Amino acid sequence: ARILERTAELELLAEELEHRRAYLETVMQHFPAGLVIADAATGLITMASERAQEIVGLERGQLPTRLGDPRSGALGLGADPDSNDPGELPLARALAGETVHAERLNVTRHDGSTVVLEVNAAPIRDASGEVIAAAAVFQDVTEADARARAAREFVANAAHELRTPLA
């Protein structure tokens, strides 16, 4: 009787775990921003939403192996793995326990195009406070960045044109 009772408890726990996994997967795939999760122990990028892969220009299901690996490219949230210290990238800093807010990065996609990303990254801690993973959420702000730059240039040019006749 005790074995049957314990088996029923384990089946309920397994069912609850499966429901939570399904919730997480659904939220992750329908979140409007890119979402990447990396494991602290291995440095492996364990999950990347379809939106994340789309933003950085990867084919669906084409996950890189680990942070700092040249194949991790923009999913590791670095412009160029050769020119950046992998430890300074937002996702790596989050794995080290730091929380990164609204950091802008110029990222080169695998197809050679460049995008501007706004990145937020945070560590994921277990019950004892140890960092077990990190999550990074990012949005493509390339167009907004270009509009802001154009507005600044317009104001600077207009101010210059107004000052010239007055001088």
Side-chain angles (χ1 to χ4, degrees):
R2 180 76 178 130
I3 291 172
L4 290 175
E5 183 180 301
R6 186 66 180 146
T7 302
E9 288 174 7
L10 290 173
E11 286 174 353
L12 282 174
L13 287 173
E15 187 176 316
E16 182 181 337
L17 184 61
E18 178 58 29
H19 283 249
R20 288 178 182 236
R21 189 206 58 75
Y23 293 155
L24 175 64
E25 186 69 27
T26 301
V27 167
M28 189 165 185
Q29 294 308 332
H30 292 89
F31 197 65
L35 176 59
V36 175
I37 298 176
D39 181 62
T42 62
L44 291 174
I45 297 172
T46 57
M47 300 177 90
S49 68
E50 289 178 19
R51 180 69 181 133
Q53 294 177 52
E54 178 186 310
I55 289 171
V56 300
L58 290 178
E59 303 257 338
R60 188 175 181 188
Q62 184 185 1
L63 279 181
T65 55
R66 69 182 63 244
L67 294 177
D69 184 325
R71 291 173 290 169
S72 70
L75 274 184
L77 302 179
D80 178 5
D82 295 329
S83 66
N84 288 323
D85 175 10
E88 293 300 314
L89 301 176
L91 194 53
R93 290 179 10 227
L95 285 172
E98 181 181 342
T99 300
V100 179
H101 294 286
E103 188 168 307
R104 293 223 172 175
L105 296 174
N106 291 319
V107 173
T108 302
R109 294 172 159 182
H110 288 286
D111 65 4
S113 62
T114 301
V115 292
V116 178
L117 300 180
E118 184 172 276
V119 182
N120 293 289
I124 299 171
R125 299 178 187 275
D126 64 10
S128 66
E130 288 290 317
V131 176
I132 57 171
V137 177
F138 55 96
Q139 292 188 357
D140 181 352
V141 293
T142 307
E143 290 181 23
D145 196 56
R147 281 194 299 273
R149 188 172 37 255
R152 284 191 305 272
E153 288 173 5
F154 173 78
V155 169
N157 288 337
H160 174 72
E161 292 299 325
L162 286 172
R163 272 186 257 141
T164 302
L166 291 174

